[in-house]
Amino acid sequence: MTRPTSFSLALIGSGGAGAISAGQLLLAAVAHSGLHAVMTRAFGPQIRGGEAAALLRLSDHPVECQAERLDLLIALDWEKSDRLAEDLAVDQSTVVLADPETGAIPAWIEKAGARIQPLSWSELAQGNRKTRPNMLACGVVAAVLGLGPQTMTAAAQRQFGAKGAAVVQTASAAIELGRQFAPHMDRLIPQVENESGGERWQITGNQASALGAVLGGVRFCAAYPITPATEILEWLAGRLPAVGGCLVQAEDELASINMCLGASFGGVPALTATSGPGLALMVETLGLAVATEVPVVVVNVMRGGPSTGIPTRPEQSDLNIAIHGLHGDAPHPVIAPNGIVDCLIATRQAVVLAESLQTPVLVLSDQGLGQTEAVIEAPATEEGKRFGELKGKRRLWCGEGDGDAYQRYRDSADGVAPMALPGSLGGEHTVTGLSHDRQGRPTTRSEEHRRQLDKRQRKLESFDPGEDWATIEGDGAMALITFGSATAPAREGLALLAAEGIACRMISVRLLSPLNVAGLEQALSGVDRALILELNHQGQFHRHLRAHCRLPAHTTALHRPGPQPFRPAEIVDAIRKLTMESAA
Amino acid sequence: MTRPTSFSLALIGSGGAGAISAGQLLLAAVAHSGLHAVMTRAFGPQIRGGEAAALLRLSDHPVECQAERLDLLIALDWEKSDRLAEDLAVDQSTVVLADPETGAIPAWIEKAGARIQPLSWSELAQGNRKTRPNMLACGVVAAVLGLGPQTMTAAAQRQFGAKGAAVVQTASAAIELGRQFAPHMDRLIPQVENESGGERWQITGNQASALGAVLGGVRFCAAYPITPATEILEWLAGRLPAVGGCLVQAEDELASINMCLGASFGGVPALTATSGPGLALMVETLGLAVATEVPVVVVNVMRGGPSTGIPTRPEQSDLNIAIHGLHGDAPHPVIAPNGIVDCLIATRQAVVLAESLQTPVLVLSDQGLGQTEAVIEAPATEEGKRFGELKGKRRLWCGEGDGDAYQRYRDSADGVAPMALPGSLGGEHTVTGLSHDRQGRPTTRSEEHRRQLDKRQRKLESFDPGEDWATIEGDGAMALITFGSATAPAREGLALLAAEGIACRMISVRLLSPLNVAGLEQALSGVDRALILELNHQGQFHRHLRAHCRLPAHTTALHRPGPQPFRPAEIVDAIRKLTMESAA
Amino acid sequence: MSANAPITMSVLSARDYKSDYKPVWCPGCGDFGVLNALTKALAALKLAPEQVALIAGIGCSSRIAAYTRVYGFHGVHGRVLPLATGLAVARPDLTVLAAGGDGDGFSIGGNHFIHACRRNANLTYLVMDNAVYGMTKGQASPTTECDWTGSELTPEGPHQAPFKPLEIALAAGAPFIARAFANDPNGLARLICEAIEFPGFAMIQILSPCITYRPEQMGYKKRVHEDFQPTDRLDQAWQALVADDGFTTGLLWRAERPAYRPHAADGDPASLINSFRVE
Amino acid sequence: MSANAPITMSVLSARDYKSDYKPVWCPGCGDFGVLNALTKALAALKLAPEQVALIAGIGCSSRIAAYTRVYGFHGVHGRVLPLATGLAVARPDLTVLAAGGDGDGFSIGGNHFIHACRRNANLTYLVMDNAVYGMTKGQASPTTECDWTGSELTPEGPHQAPFKPLEIALAAGAPFIARAFANDPNGLARLICEAIEFPGFAMIQILSPCITYRPEQMGYKKRVHEDFQPTDRLDQAWQALVADDGFTTGLLWRAERPAYRPHAADGDPASLINSFRVE
Ligand SMILES: Cc1ncc(C[n+]2csc(CCOP(=O)(O)OP(=O)(O)O)c2C)c(N)n1
Ligand SMILES: Cc1ncc(C[n+]2csc(CCOP(=O)(O)OP(=O)(O)O)c2C)c(N)n1
Ligand code: SF4
Ligand code: SF4
Ligand SMILES: [Mg+2]
Ligand SMILES: [Mg+2]
């Protein structure tokens, strides 16, 4: 295997300068060229017109997180760029291109000792006033990466096609002018190869979740917008009607989750998406879904917390509420996708789990996955992974069998009882959030109360999660245990260590609850040191693991809050430390 | 120490028969006599007019839970009494008094082999049609217990005084008629001694919480009724105005918690009370209270869950949501009172903690504490226990010191910064649930985000919980670790074992979060076997302990759902088993 | 439309729409009247029980779901309307009914009430209004008189302007608004039939006495008067409400407005992938 | 009353009521006009900044709290009114203002709006209505026209009757109801002064254009017309609202109603113990 090469660049500019738009065009071009790529965005606090940065990383191998440092930074201007300083990992080998006319180089760039190369947008434009610096910058990058005119025109078409041929034409012309300026990069540039291995997609994690929902069978969504989950809802709003479903905009999250429950009670698989504050408003009704055994899926795209927190940035701090946020004994599955493609798979699996087990299921995504756009190899969509043998179809009652009266909550080996849907003659029954007996009648008797608690617990314990409870990679006497968006930087950190001869296996847990304790303990066999990695302040995942599993005697935890995602170097350092500690 | 004697009786009857009213009268009489007592109620599902039971236990020592079995059961009638079968621990030495005219003895009573003694209410009444069986039953009990006519008349006065002298008179006459029938009880009856050791109170756990709130300084309450917490709110509604405070009835729990926050932002200590479903609606705003550092106390009186569950019965299944139900990293103290008197102390301590640390605090009570009425020795109310050195007064900003601009979230050693209240000139500032800097200005910078998370964590870690984090009793190489309402039956079970020579220490944790890990580990020194006891299905407390502490290698858990509280025998059995297991 | 749903074998009587659970209601509670009227209406409309769903919230009144022999959902407090809306939108073939109390619908659930009026999904909402929280033992509800001192929670009375369900419904855009009396089962049944047949959101405020916590409501019988004249002119409706004493019954407002019903095509989900493909 | 609160040293100008934080608002956003009018009003009333509290929800508009130099609370989405009510009731000496958007106040916060109208605590509520969710990038709000197709979330339009804030407020019993235009800072400032001085719940719907997601709202300037005549007669108010095109401005309704203010005595907490003592 050849060592993956990757290249990182950022385009920044103030409101209206078009940094993001240029970034998207480049992403499309790169996708077209056959490379893999990932793009994240960073904004200042303004609603619109504030400073913005498009961070692009491209590679000849799949890549799902930003790199340690920037190879290239192009400033369309420097206005208020200070607020993005944290997002831009400039160091002394970063090449910085900027037009001195747009302002002085910020102190933090000077301080980093970056290799500043001045250019002049107006000169490059050759006097053409229609020529925008952001498109010129695309041309500069095209030159650096060796992206040909055809590729760039196709990308411009994708980006601006809807605005008419003239716009595409102007953009393409600017891009070609930009090519004149090709800074020298003494840095390995990934090879552009037009023969891609297979079909490629350009997709965000949120889009992937939405697609996974539809492929899983979701045909109803009730929505209340919230950053960074809104794109899931917006995508579904436009697509569900085309496949026989619909989306209702609700007045709040209390309404959206209840609408979903109503639709699902009617037999229509339902999902909603939200983020921390919205999830907090849904927990009462999620408890009702547990008690009444009505399937529903909630995709919670985490952002910085607590409270309103940092809505536009990643953090993995909703694990506690996702697993434990319901009152009473209300166990339910929680799945965390650990990559952008996995947003599709995990969300589909969540629908499968919900429908098969008649339970609410939470998908714990985060802003770092949801709002990152990547160029990826097309995942398998026809069949897709499911947990173990689960069929993903709801077990329905069809009128036969039950002897006397229909028992909605009949006890059974796997804890799942056939559901009679409205419309089925003879299956009429009333479900309730009150403690109930097998027929669903309210009761206060210990025996009935306990029977239903046992039955619902059994559902979660008796399905076989197969291989899908975690992604396990590598080997060694050390293990890194993580979940969600921390997985990509972890993987990259471990690859760097492997290259140095330091072996460490990675266990990225996908099924956060119920934990596959036996599976995890087996995956840890032969491991004597572990690092638990998560992007939150309290170490919520670590506590959760401790509560349920035996962890290696020497277990340390690397947990810190967002809003900056982990960088591979942090992982490398932590594992190195772990090696030394246990040597001592 | 003489062995405590206790006597248990139940009065049951259908709607209107007055079983509860008779129970209350007896409780008052017993209180007057200088004994200790506890009374719980059990109802059928009807709103009103359904079957009801008053369960009374009296003792010459403090007592806070019902006993293993009933000594005496008096049936005013048997209508639908089947639904209360679980609540009535009838066995072969239980004396059952019933009038054959009111129906046949139920099968479950026959089956238990109880000693049935028929009587005739109409004969006892001597033809007086105004004489009600429930008052006759009080007379029977008075005869059994040796409660004199004066005591009974005083109790009748307390119970019916408001309805006029004639009612009191009729009741007293009926009681005296009832005395004619004194069944033989071959059972030790606690000695009635009119000289009590000191002042006695008759109070429920909910009333104790409400009183504790006021004594702690609460002057604002916003309320939305919910079983079994409503009595706290109703008590406060009637009392707060008398001490310069007020209660607002809110439209829902979202409003009640926000009103509390608003009042507290204004400097007025605020509290609300609710139960599971209501708490679920408050978690978003509790996160805001954490982030903005505005003190507020929520008393959550647990009931059977999940969802609507069993509103009128006890369970300890809201521990998860209480500790982990907030999104983001939002640590906050959670205190569980472990007795009826402790509802007062713990609620007052919660106010002290909230005000001292500028944080929301949850009190985790339950139906078994809240709605049980007890006759107790008057607790210390003047000073009362506080956590360590905490003053219970909010640290206020008074205009001096801060140098330049006032910093609401100035970093400090103990994590607490002086609060400027509206009205203080120069302290004007805006608090926000967004991640913020020391001045309270929104920020997305990692450093500021983390500083405030650290600061808020430090508040919880740097106060000294003193002795009050747990109630620790007894000694031995075994430990029982529990919390809340499970404490009383645990204490009783351990006393039975101690009498047999089996030693086991009890650690009843009051400060559930943050756990005093060092304290607990120290309390466990010398312990090699532990039993964790809690009234819920999942073993939530056990998981929580595991997540944070090293527990003895041989630790077992006894956790089961409600709605029946633990009986001492269950604990005796579990500890016996533990003794044997570790011997093996 | 729901009224055209398949009819089971023989003609059913009102009793056939009742389940065999014994209500927990106090003897004499107005809610019995509502149960009677509702089952009469279902029988009169010859609706197949399995084609009907009755969604309820939490409260004494909300227990009604389990007492009917149709599909029922006894949800959480205050969320009956979104629950019913989700079902009605996802399953337009069903007859969807929602029911609950004044606390459930106007206190904790007030927001959903307004938005359900605006949204106009095809469902019928029966509010069993007793101006009290029965289930939690007698606190003031939004419709309670501002000087009612019967609850320990508001010993001096709620001191708030009572919530006016019909005014709010009209202001919020509900197309079908009526008031009825629980102890007039025939009149109520007729109104329920009309509401069910109405293609959109139809709401009926039902004065339903709570004999336990508001015994004085037994006097409602003398106070109600069936004087509403149905109209679809806003000015007339507001005039009627300005003159209303809270006991006028009948259909107040019936307006033509297309019901909320998202349309759906029948495409292939796999085609949705195309937009992500990079050519 | 709040207007009698102590006045600081010298007379303050509107600018003195602004903080030094730069608003995150888009250039041209109507909310700047509201900030200007509000600070003008505070200056005109000579209110001491420390005696004023501005409570806000979540949304672009709700950011206003931090832009004023008074005590501020930027709460969670939709809960501005209970937060403000708690403060107003607990601290009757303060001037309490509440502010937020149409999404915050009428969508997620709609229930609190009705109940605040009913309750009539002494506070002023400014709703900055741009008929869109600005902060989350342009979805339909309750006040959005039912055929507006500008959001991907409702590509065919929201298809719901728009929420009518003044109608709802009147139906819910609010005693002071007005509408204003953000880009008429003087007119708005006058109304805010009147609202603050009003002893009870005063609400102003402020048409405040969102230049980014509803650029067509720049045309509001031409559509507004100050034609409301203040009244305290219900029939007149309803008539005015039946005739309203959504752009009539001014004070619509002002009624005398005692503000909600629980009375409090000054007893000794220890005396509360007595009722538990067993003699
Ligand atoms: C979230 C939540 N809060 C509070 C309650 C307690 N509760 C149950 S029913 C009820 C009020 C019922 O009043 P209403 O809807 O008028 O019904 P009624 O009993 O009068 O028929 C309340 C407050 C609850 N179940 N859930
Ligand atoms: C519980 C919750 N749900 C959703 C959101 C996301 N959110 C933030 S602001 C907003 C809407 C704001 O609209 P509006 O109140 O009209 O304010 P504007 O931005 O238009 O001024 C939403 C839905 C949130 N912060 N919290
Ligand atoms: S308490 Fe009132 S509302 Fe509830 S069942 Fe009894 S009479 Fe009916
Ligand atoms: S998005 Fe609209 S409402 Fe928000 S600041 Fe910009 S113009 Fe104002
Ligand atoms: Mg009611
Ligand atoms: Mg808006």
Side-chain angles (χ1 to χ4, degrees), chain A residues 86 305 307-309 315 317-318 320-321 325 327-329 433 435 444-446 449 454 537-538 540 543 546-547 562-563, chain B residues 86 305 307-309 315 317-318 321 324-325 327-329 433 435 444-446 449 454 537-538 540 543 546-547 562-563:
Chain A
E86 264 199 78
S307 197
T308 311
E315 204 168 74
S317 52
D318 291 350
N320 277 345
I321 184 176
H327 71 274
D329 286 298
S435 187
T444 59
R445 290 189 53 210
S446 300
H449 181 52
D454 283 345
H537 191 251
Q538 292 173 296
Q540 303 181 4
R543 297 290 170 198
R546 267 190 70 155
Chain B
E86 265 198 78
S307 198
T308 311
E315 202 168 74
S317 52
D318 291 350
I321 184 176
H324 296 304
H327 71 274
D329 287 298
S435 186
T444 60
R445 288 189 55 209
S446 301
H449 181 52
D454 282 344
H537 191 251
Q538 292 173 295
Q540 302 181 5
R543 297 291 169 199
R546 267 190 71 154

Side-chain angles (χ1 to χ4, degrees), chain D residues 101-103 128 130-134:
Chain D
D102 42 323
M128 298 145 86
N130 53 12
V132 78
Y133 292 174

Side-chain angles (χ1 to χ4, degrees), chain B residues 31-32 158 199-203 207 211 214 219-220 235 239 241-252 254-255 258-259 261-263 265-266 268 284-285 288 292 294 381 420-425 427-434 441-442, chain D residues 8-9 20-21 49-53 55 63 65-77 79 82-87 89-91 93-94 111-113 115-116 119 260 262-270 272-273 275-279:
Chain B
H32 193 81
R158 190 181 172 115
E199 183 182 319
R200 267 173 177 43
W201 291 8
Q202 183 176 340
I203 195 168
Q207 290 169 334
L211 177 59
V214 176
R219 292 295 179 271
F220 182 89
W235 194 91
R239 280 35 168 222
V243 296
C246 72
L247 179 142
V248 180
Q249 182 176 335
E251 54 271 30
D252 61 14
L254 302 162
N258 275 281
M259 287 177 182
L261 227 58
F265 176 71
V268 179
E284 189 201 7
T285 298
L288 175 67
T292 54
V294 175
T381 53
L421 299 183
S424 316
L425 178 65
E428 300 86 358
H429 66 281
T430 295
V431 302
T432 177
L434 286 163
R441 270 188 302 225
Chain D
T8 37
M9 322 288 96
D20 54 3
Y21 304 174
E50 75 275 13
Q51 290 297 123
V52 179
I55 315 295
R63 293 282 194 132
Y67 307 147
T68 56
R69 198 168 64 76
V70 298
Y71 280 89
F73 201 137
H74 183 231
V76 293
H77 192 37
R79 314 300 164 206
L83 203 53
T85 299
L87 181 59
V89 170
R91 289 286 307 271
D93 58 312
L94 302 175
N111 200 33
H112 308 305
F113 178 52
H115 290 280
R119 189 175 288 115
Y260 181 87
H263 70 248
D266 211 18
D268 174 13
L272 299 179
I273 295 169
S275 63
F276 299 120
R277 293 206 167 98
V278 178
E279 298 101 59

Side-chain angles (χ1 to χ4, degrees), chain B residues 485-550:
Chain B
S485 64
T487 305
R491 182 180 284 132
E492 194 151 329
L494 295 190
L496 292 171
L497 288 162
E500 290 179 25
I502 300 177
C504 179
R505 65 184 81 169
M506 185 189 75
I507 306 170
S508 172
V509 179
R510 297 177 72 253
L511 187 62
L512 293 177
S513 189
L515 273 178
N516 181 1
V517 176
L520 182 59
E521 290 180 356
Q522 205 204 308
L524 286 171
S525 73
V527 168
D528 57 16
R529 288 153 294 161
L531 174 76
I532 301 188
L533 181 80
E534 57 190 310
L535 196 68
N536 63 56
H537 191 251
Q538 292 173 295
Q540 302 181 5
F541 179 55
H542 181 204
R543 297 291 169 199
H544 177 53
L545 292 176
R546 267 190 71 154
H548 291 270
C549 312
R550 263 167 306 163

Side-chain angles (χ1 to χ4, degrees), chain A residues 207-230:
Chain A
Q207 290 168 335
S209 278
L211 178 59
V214 175
L215 295 178
V218 165
R219 291 298 178 272
F220 183 88
C221 178
Y224 193 72
I226 187 165
T227 307
T230 310

